Amino acid sequence: MRTVVKKVIDETVMKIYWEGFAPFVFPADPVALIGKIYACYYRSYEQLAVKNKCRPADIVRILKNPDGCVFYDRKKNHYMIAANEEGRSPARIRWTIAHEIGHVVAGHFLEIDMDFLPENKLMEEEADYFAASFLAPFFAIARKDFRRPAEIRDFFGLSQTAAEYRWNEYVDFLRLVNSPL
Ligand SMILES: [Zn+2]
């Protein structure tokens, strides 16, 4: 992950909670957050299918992603975030939507001249970092004095894999802040 992008993400997450864009309530609601981001809106694949008079499977094919995507309408300067809610757990949907917001926060569309993001491992990693930071911020983990990944999974509404990953990041973070100079 790029240091400059990490800084932007960290600062944005702080701003989201401390300036009241999201309440201190968990599991966090990424759709509610989208409603507060200027020129950004959310549609489920099902809503897109109804609007375009096709099946959700057609939306998956057109968007080339079974889970979610973010589209930037450069002319209107609008972001549309879409997620497939069909047959997916709330934890997975929550993560997908937060991940797509992460691409917007990280400014990925400002680096390219396309409406869709290309396959890019670094960008995916950065969007995941935003998802983890927004859905399970360190300050909230610290307040609860959690000791196990399962507690993070249940409290923040993450998948087991995401919770374990976030737990490891938290342990690394604690090691860093507690290490003697
Ligand atoms: Zn992505």
Side-chain angles (χ1 to χ4, degrees):
M1 185 166 19
R2 292 166 289 185
T3 312
V4 60
V5 175
K6 183 180 181 298
K7 191 165 177 277
V8 167
I9 293 172
D10 287 341
E11 286 172 359
T12 304
V13 170
M14 292 295 276
K15 194 174 162 188
I16 285 169
Y17 285 104
W18 264 271
E19 293 187 14
F21 290 95
F24 293 96
V25 174
F26 300 97
D29 181 359
V31 175
L33 179 63
I34 289 174
K36 300 207 173 147
I37 305 174
Y38 174 69
C40 191
Y41 62 96
Y42 174 74
R43 298 281 183 270
S44 68
Y45 278 26
E46 292 73 14
Q47 288 172 323
L48 290 177
V50 170
K51 190 163 181 277
N52 293 284
K53 298 187 174 61
C54 63
R55 293 170 303 133
D58 298 320
I59 301 295
V60 170
R61 187 172 45 77
I62 294 163
L63 298 181
K64 296 186 180 69
N65 193 313
D67 288 305
C69 88
V70 52
F71 171 78
Y72 181 41
D73 186 335
R74 219 163 269 276
K75 278 196 206 111
K76 292 185 189 157
N77 192 25
H78 274 183
Y79 291 96
M80 185 198 67
I81 287 172
N84 194 353
E85 298 183 6
E86 191 73 36
R88 282 148 174 83
S89 67
R92 185 166 167 189
I93 298 165
R94 196 176 289 122
W95 182 274
T96 299
I97 299 170
H99 170 100
E100 303 303 344
I101 298 172
H103 284 303
V104 178
V105 169
H108 290 158
F109 283 97
L110 308 177
E111 299 179 34
I112 57 159
D113 191 22
M114 289 159 71
D115 296 340
F116 278 99
L117 292 170
E119 292 266 336
N120 182 304
K121 204 166 167 276
L122 185 63
M123 287 183 178
E124 291 313 300
E125 196 183 292
E126 290 168 351
D128 275 342
Y129 178 70
F130 173 82
S133 306
F134 167 64
L135 295 175
F138 286 159
F139 73 82
I141 301 175
R143 273 187 198 176
K144 287 286 172 183
D145 197 23
F146 288 135
R147 305 274 167 190
R148 291 182 301 121
E151 292 173 312
I152 295 199
R153 177 195 65 202
D154 296 342
F155 185 78
F156 296 104
L158 300 183
S159 69
Q160 180 66 24
T161 312
E164 280 171 17
Y165 191 78
R166 189 57 173 159
W167 173 254
N168 290 334
E169 282 184 337
Y170 182 63
V171 169
D172 286 345
F173 170 74
L174 284 186
R175 206 171 286 142
L176 188 76
V177 294
N178 292 326
S179 63
L181 288 175

